Amino acid sequence: GAGVSQTPSNKVTEKGKYVELRCDPISGHTALYWYRQSLGQGPEFLIYFQGTGAADDSGLPNDRFFAVRPEGSVSTLKIQRTERGDSAVYLCASSRTGDNYGYTFGSGTRLTVV
Amino acid sequence: DQQVKQNSPSLSVQEGRISILNCDYTNSMFDYFLWYKKYPAEGPTFLISISSIKDKNEDGRFTVFLNKSAKHLSLHIVPSQPGDSAVYFCAASRNYGGSQGNLIFGKGTKLSVKP
């Protein structure tokens, strides 16, 4: 597709449930990033993939959060035992390796944990 | 501790005038800086960037200035247009180009351009 696609656009879940958020990057982009944006804050880095491997997962807040990118394209962010504090907009971005012009973000998934 | 700070949560400017958005950073290892623009319900959109070897980069109505000694950068929009109304995020990277690593974002400044 022309841009980064994220599904679903909105997700409401109950505390303690498991959720999966999907990201379809721009075709040919080898780098993929997940960020989280809480209300009134800027995007906060979670994890960065180069191809299929996680090159940097230092932003994942705890072991309830996990992300995969098995074929080097689509990525899934998985959150176990969701908590109310996980409520945020989860943003995915992709870029060509060596791109000097910043990467392209998707519109995000708004996750609400009730 | 915030490494990238945007101390003005909001800014209101008259159409046609100049908008100046400011950003301060604390980490002297940052070598690449970017500005993103965000409309409601959309992801941030890349606007303009500057590497630490430059002090100015211009693209149409948008100019970014970098003062390394002060660890300060600013985004100038002139003339401002109502369509520029959005939240502007400053971001920094320790890897030139940003695509090799993660970006550190400020909290954003909401710009309102009044007709």
Side-chain angles (χ1 to χ4, degrees):
Chain A
V4 177
S5 175
Q6 291 188 247
T7 54
S9 55
N10 280 283
K11 176 72 176 178
V12 181
T13 190
E14 291 181 348
K15 180 175 177 292
K17 298 288 189 184
Y18 167 84
V19 295
E20 290 189 352
L21 312 179
R22 177 187 169 106
C23 173
D24 275 277
I26 292 173
S27 179
H29 280 193
T30 60
L32 184 146
Y33 308 80
W34 284 99
Y35 281 76
R36 174 169 76 172
Q37 186 176 11
S38 301
L39 195 62
Q41 304 293 316
E44 177 189 18
F45 171 75
L46 296 176
I47 187 169
Y48 154 53
F49 286 91
Q50 186 58 256
T52 60
D56 183 354
D57 65 357
S58 62
L60 294 176
N62 50 60
D63 61 6
R64 295 187 297 106
F65 289 75
F66 189 72
V68 295
R69 195 185 184 200
E71 297 178 358
S73 177
V74 171
S75 177
T76 305
L77 178 66
K78 308 180 180 193
I79 311 174
Q80 298 178 322
R81 305 183 304 280
T82 51
E83 299 177 357
R84 292 198 178 88
D86 298 335
S87 297
V89 175
Y90 288 81
L91 294 162
C92 177
S94 70
S95 74
R96 296 188 302 269
T97 300
D99 187 346
N100 290 337
Y101 294 99
Y103 29 73
T104 304
F105 280 92
S107 296
T109 294
R110 180 175 295 279
L111 176 66
T112 304
V113 182
V114 297
Chain B
D1 186 31
Q2 269 209 301
Q3 298 186 67
V4 178
K5 300 177 184 178
Q6 293 177 258
N7 292 320
S8 297
S10 63
L11 175 68
S12 184
V13 171
Q14 204 67 33
E15 181 180 5
R17 306 294 289 267
I18 185 171
S19 296
I20 300 177
L21 298 111
N22 293 303
C23 178
D24 296 290
Y25 61 96
T26 58
N27 191 337
S28 57
M29 297 298 291
F30 288 145
D31 60 3
Y32 196 66
F33 304 90
L34 306 93
W35 284 93
Y36 281 82
K37 175 179 176 179
K38 187 181 183 304
Y39 293 116
E42 295 184 11
T45 302
F46 170 74
L47 194 56
I48 193 169
S49 62
I50 188 167
S51 77
S52 58
I53 62 173
K54 295 186 175 182
D55 56 17
K56 177 182 174 181
N57 189 27
E58 188 172 352
D59 183 2
R61 297 186 296 114
F62 302 91
T63 303
V64 56
F65 295 92
L66 175 63
N67 182 334
K68 281 175 55 180
S69 61
K71 294 191 181 69
H72 176 85
L73 63 155
S74 60
L75 174 68
H76 293 211
I77 307 172
V78 56
S80 302
Q81 299 173 354
D84 297 329
S85 298
V87 177
Y88 288 78
F89 291 99
C90 172
S93 169
R94 285 182 292 173
N95 295 290
Y96 180 75
S99 63
Q100 299 302 319
N102 70 79
L103 297 179
I104 311 297
F105 283 84
K107 290 187 177 184
T109 297
K110 184 175 182 180
L111 173 66
S112 299
V113 180
K114 308 294 185 185

